[in-house]
Amino acid sequence: MQNDDQGRDGMDDGQPQDDAADPRGGRGRSEWAYDMLHEAIREGTIAPGQRIMEVELSVWLKMSRTPVREAMRRLQAEGLLEHAPGGGMAVVVYDLRAIGEFYATRESLEGTAARLAATQADETEIHILSATVDAMRALPEDPRMHARENQGFHEQIYRAAHNRFLLKSLRQLLNFTPLLGRTTYNAPGRIGAALAEHEAIVAAIRARDPDRAEEAARLHIRRSHDSRVLVVSDDVRSAAQKRSLRQPLPGLAKTRG
């Protein structure tokens, strides 16, 4: 992992630097460390369940341990990191029950956002939503590419709802999406199905039909939950298969002897 800000921070030697030598002060460096770690978790560079050590992150970010420690504490307070057995921190892993709670909350909030957007969005915002769907339709069948565009699509609905408290709540909720594992676009057929669901949401917003917009958004999130369960279940099976390949079956050594 590379840091593009070497020149800015004066850390070309690849060694952690003392914060006292940084004219921006510790708070600026802590904020930057937080942003870098949050992005790494969001992009999957640091995976759910992965253990991270303060000293390793310090070397990666090319800064002293103090701002790294502050950034890790902030991520822990937000529920993205937890103490790991044996020391250090680990990215939180959600079980199926927690995933269900996440999607139940998201369904309610997303439905409200779509309902509000149907009455509050201006013509420019509706045009942007349509253009985003068109852009997604032109993408290749790449789950990660669709996941990135999907984030922008939902963000546009949140803004079009014109409710600052709802916007803040949804943004905070979606901070936890990286903890759920691989994107739902890895589920078979999900790319095409999600595109059709997005089109239905936009059509309802354009028609200024709040009831239909809310139901379309709720249905979209319910189906996203179904796809999430499929992806998580597949990951669990794959992990179990890998473990079985590493460990001989009981009694195998005896039969060979």
Side-chain angles (χ1 to χ4, degrees), residues 27 66 164 229:
R27 181 172 179 80
T66 300
R164 69 192 70 184
V229 172

Side-chain angles (χ1 to χ4, degrees), residues 6-196:
Q6 288 180 341
R8 183 186 67 183
D9 291 333
M11 296 178 288
D12 294 331
D13 59 0
Q15 298 299 319
Q17 179 174 311
D18 188 354
D19 295 322
D22 190 340
R24 293 179 300 162
R27 181 172 179 80
R29 293 175 63 75
S30 175
E31 187 71 23
W32 185 78
Y34 168 84
D35 290 341
M36 290 292 291
L37 292 176
H38 193 280
E39 181 179 359
I41 294 172
R42 185 177 66 247
E43 293 295 322
T45 305
I46 303 176
Q50 181 176 341
R51 188 163 73 109
I52 54 177
M53 303 296 290
E54 187 179 295
V55 64
E56 295 172 348
L57 294 177
S58 178
V59 172
W60 171 47
L61 297 174
K62 298 186 178 180
M63 60 172 57
S64 71
R65 294 170 65 175
T66 300
V68 173
R69 185 182 306 119
E70 292 173 355
M72 292 175 71
R73 286 174 178 168
R74 182 175 169 186
L75 289 166
Q76 182 186 12
E78 293 176 357
L80 297 178
L81 295 180
E82 62 184 359
H83 287 290
M89 293 278 189
V91 180
V92 173
V93 178
Y94 278 1
D95 58 20
L96 288 177
R97 179 173 181 177
I99 289 173
E101 294 169 355
F102 171 88
Y103 277 96
T105 304
R106 186 176 175 188
E107 179 184 333
S108 178
L109 294 178
E110 293 262 3
T112 301
R115 167 175 282 276
L116 288 173
T119 59
Q120 301 298 321
D122 59 36
E123 291 303 317
T124 298
E125 290 168 329
I126 295 174
H127 176 75
I128 292 172
L129 281 171
S130 297
T132 303
V133 172
D134 290 340
M136 294 183 76
R137 189 183 296 110
L139 289 175
E141 295 274 318
D142 184 301
R144 295 192 68 177
M145 292 178 67
H146 279 270
R148 285 192 291 268
E149 288 299 319
N150 176 71
Q151 182 178 347
F153 173 80
H154 285 274
E155 179 76 17
Q156 182 59 34
I157 293 177
Y158 308 158
R159 289 195 294 267
H162 293 280
N163 185 303
R164 69 192 70 184
F165 300 104
L166 182 62
L167 175 64
K168 182 177 180 180
S169 296
L170 278 161
R171 283 176 170 171
Q172 289 178 337
L173 180 67
L174 294 190
N175 276 340
F176 295 93
T177 303
L179 309 182
L180 308 182
R182 293 186 302 148
T183 171
T184 57
Y185 283 104
N186 284 288
R190 184 57 192 156
I191 290 177
L195 181 59

